[in-house]
PDB file of all heavy atoms in Angstrom:
ATOM      1  N   ASP A 149      60.728 -42.044 158.700  1.00 97.00           N
ATOM      2  CA  ASP A 149      61.123 -42.987 159.704  1.00 97.00           C
ATOM      3  C   ASP A 149      60.728 -44.454 159.286  1.00 97.00           C
ATOM      4  O   ASP A 149      60.264 -44.633 158.204  1.00 97.00           O
ATOM      5  CB  ASP A 149      60.347 -42.520 161.050  1.00 97.00           C
ATOM      6  CG  ASP A 149      58.861 -42.588 160.922  1.00 97.00           C
ATOM      7  OD1 ASP A 149      58.239 -43.327 160.187  1.00 97.00           O
ATOM      8  OD2 ASP A 149      58.244 -41.604 161.482  1.00 97.00           O
ATOM      9  N   TYR A 150      60.874 -45.317 160.259  1.00 97.00           N
ATOM     10  CA  TYR A 150      60.658 -46.733 159.816  1.00 97.00           C
ATOM     11  C   TYR A 150      59.144 -47.113 159.398  1.00 97.00           C
ATOM     12  O   TYR A 150      58.817 -48.130 158.828  1.00 97.00           O
ATOM     13  CB  TYR A 150      61.105 -47.683 160.911  1.00 97.00           C
ATOM     14  CG  TYR A 150      60.247 -47.774 162.158  1.00 97.00           C
ATOM     15  CD1 TYR A 150      59.282 -48.758 162.262  1.00 97.00           C
ATOM     16  CD2 TYR A 150      60.395 -46.878 163.291  1.00 97.00           C
ATOM     17  CE1 TYR A 150      58.558 -48.889 163.438  1.00 97.00           C
ATOM     18  CE2 TYR A 150      59.611 -47.034 164.267  1.00 97.00           C
ATOM     19  CZ  TYR A 150      58.701 -48.007 164.430  1.00 97.00           C
ATOM     20  OH  TYR A 150      57.850 -48.060 165.569  1.00 97.00           O
ATOM     21  N   ARG A 151      58.221 -46.190 159.789  1.00 97.00           N
ATOM     22  CA  ARG A 151      56.781 -46.398 159.432  1.00 97.00           C
ATOM     23  C   ARG A 151      56.395 -45.672 158.235  1.00 97.00           C
ATOM     24  O   ARG A 151      55.135 -45.777 157.895  1.00 97.00           O
ATOM     25  CB  ARG A 151      55.882 -45.930 160.636  1.00 97.00           C
ATOM     26  CG  ARG A 151      55.961 -46.930 161.907  1.00 97.00           C
ATOM     27  CD  ARG A 151      54.952 -46.465 162.974  1.00 97.00           C
ATOM     28  NE  ARG A 151      54.960 -47.333 164.074  1.00 97.00           N
ATOM     29  CZ  ARG A 151      54.211 -48.463 164.125  1.00 97.00           C
ATOM     30  NH1 ARG A 151      53.425 -48.747 163.247  1.00 97.00           N
ATOM     31  NH2 ARG A 151      54.259 -49.198 165.255  1.00 97.00           N
ATOM     32  N   ASP A 152      57.306 -44.870 157.511  1.00 98.00           N
ATOM     33  CA  ASP A 152      56.927 -43.977 156.433  1.00 98.00           C
ATOM     34  C   ASP A 152      56.797 -44.800 155.222  1.00 98.00           C
ATOM     35  O   ASP A 152      57.633 -44.568 154.326  1.00 98.00           O
ATOM     36  CB  ASP A 152      57.925 -42.912 156.385  1.00 98.00           C
ATOM     37  CG  ASP A 152      57.436 -41.778 155.456  1.00 98.00           C
ATOM     38  OD1 ASP A 152      56.193 -41.847 155.141  1.00 98.00           O
ATOM     39  OD2 ASP A 152      58.148 -40.909 155.009  1.00 98.00           O
ATOM     40  N   TRP A 153      55.963 -45.766 155.194  1.00 98.00           N
ATOM     41  CA  TRP A 153      55.760 -46.612 153.938  1.00 98.00           C
ATOM     42  C   TRP A 153      54.381 -47.436 154.057  1.00 98.00           C
ATOM     43  O   TRP A 153      53.781 -47.409 155.210  1.00 98.00           O
ATOM     44  CB  TRP A 153      56.791 -47.640 153.653  1.00 98.00           C
ATOM     45  CG  TRP A 153      57.021 -48.540 154.810  1.00 98.00           C
ATOM     46  CD1 TRP A 153      57.565 -48.374 155.964  1.00 98.00           C
ATOM     47  CD2 TRP A 153      56.604 -49.909 154.741  1.00 98.00           C
ATOM     48  NE1 TRP A 153      57.595 -49.515 156.762  1.00 98.00           N
ATOM     49  CE2 TRP A 153      56.981 -50.471 156.007  1.00 98.00           C
ATOM     50  CE3 TRP A 153      56.051 -50.809 153.834  1.00 98.00           C
ATOM     51  CZ2 TRP A 153      56.667 -51.884 156.353  1.00 98.00           C
ATOM     52  CZ3 TRP A 153      55.720 -52.185 154.141  1.00 98.00           C
ATOM     53  CH2 TRP A 153      56.116 -52.637 155.430  1.00 98.00           C
ATOM     54  N   GLU A 154      53.948 -47.830 152.984  1.00 97.00           N
ATOM     55  CA  GLU A 154      52.553 -48.529 153.004  1.00 97.00           C
ATOM     56  C   GLU A 154      52.667 -49.979 152.627  1.00 97.00           C
ATOM     57  O   GLU A 154      53.121 -50.336 151.627  1.00 97.00           O
ATOM     58  CB  GLU A 154      51.587 -47.855 152.141  1.00 97.00           C
ATOM     59  CG  GLU A 154      50.121 -48.337 152.125  1.00 97.00           C
ATOM     60  CD  GLU A 154      49.166 -47.562 151.269  1.00 97.00           C
ATOM     61  OE1 GLU A 154      49.532 -46.436 150.946  1.00 97.00           O
ATOM     62  OE2 GLU A 154      48.113 -48.016 151.071  1.00 97.00           O
ATOM     63  N   VAL A 155      52.151 -50.860 153.524  1.00 97.00           N
ATOM     64  CA  VAL A 155      52.116 -52.349 153.132  1.00 97.00           C
ATOM     65  C   VAL A 155      51.246 -52.486 151.903  1.00 97.00           C
ATOM     66  O   VAL A 155      50.256 -52.030 151.670  1.00 97.00           O
ATOM     67  CB  VAL A 155      51.459 -53.144 154.340  1.00 97.00           C
ATOM     68  CG1 VAL A 155      51.286 -54.610 153.934  1.00 97.00           C
ATOM     69  CG2 VAL A 155      52.352 -52.966 155.585  1.00 97.00           C
ATOM     70  N   GLY A 156      51.857 -53.345 150.978  1.00 93.00           N
ATOM     71  CA  GLY A 156      51.216 -53.666 149.770  1.00 93.00           C
ATOM     72  C   GLY A 156      51.404 -52.638 148.661  1.00 93.00           C
ATOM     73  O   GLY A 156      51.084 -52.921 147.440  1.00 93.00           O
ATOM     74  N   VAL A 157      52.087 -51.464 149.040  1.00 95.00           N
ATOM     75  CA  VAL A 157      52.382 -50.507 147.980  1.00 95.00           C
ATOM     76  C   VAL A 157      53.890 -50.296 147.747  1.00 95.00           C
ATOM     77  O   VAL A 157      54.333 -50.214 146.588  1.00 95.00           O
ATOM     78  CB  VAL A 157      51.704 -49.097 148.526  1.00 95.00           C
ATOM     79  CG1 VAL A 157      52.110 -48.060 147.464  1.00 95.00           C
ATOM     80  CG2 VAL A 157      50.186 -49.213 148.548  1.00 95.00           C
ATOM     81  N   HIS A 158      54.505 -50.194 148.882  1.00 96.00           N
ATOM     82  CA  HIS A 158      56.036 -49.921 148.692  1.00 96.00           C
ATOM     83  C   HIS A 158      56.878 -51.176 149.022  1.00 96.00           C
ATOM     84  O   HIS A 158      56.483 -51.953 149.940  1.00 96.00           O
ATOM     85  CB  HIS A 158      56.355 -48.803 149.712  1.00 96.00           C
ATOM     86  CG  HIS A 158      55.777 -47.604 149.440  1.00 96.00           C
ATOM     87  ND1 HIS A 158      54.758 -46.977 150.344  1.00 96.00           N
ATOM     88  CD2 HIS A 158      55.918 -46.529 148.602  1.00 96.00           C
ATOM     89  CE1 HIS A 158      54.364 -45.867 149.914  1.00 96.00           C
ATOM     90  NE2 HIS A 158      54.938 -45.569 148.693  1.00 96.00           N
ATOM     91  N   GLY A 159      57.968 -51.212 148.282  1.00 94.00           N
ATOM     92  CA  GLY A 159      59.064 -52.042 148.757  1.00 94.00           C
ATOM     93  C   GLY A 159      59.935 -51.277 149.776  1.00 94.00           C
ATOM     94  O   GLY A 159      59.762 -50.022 149.665  1.00 94.00           O
ATOM     95  N   ILE A 160      60.597 -51.836 150.660  1.00 94.00           N
ATOM     96  CA  ILE A 160      61.446 -51.081 151.520  1.00 94.00           C
ATOM     97  C   ILE A 160      62.847 -51.645 151.589  1.00 94.00           C
ATOM     98  O   ILE A 160      63.129 -52.837 151.485  1.00 94.00           O
ATOM     99  CB  ILE A 160      60.832 -50.970 152.999  1.00 94.00           C
ATOM    100  CG1 ILE A 160      60.706 -52.389 153.538  1.00 94.00           C
ATOM    101  CG2 ILE A 160      59.584 -50.124 152.985  1.00 94.00           C
ATOM    102  CD1 ILE A 160      60.266 -52.331 154.940  1.00 94.00           C
TER     103      ILE A 160
END
Side-chain angles (χ1 to χ4, degrees):
D149 55 39
Y150 74 94
R151 288 185 179 272
D152 191 15
W153 61 285
E154 185 176 345
V155 172
V157 174
H158 298 108
I160 57 171

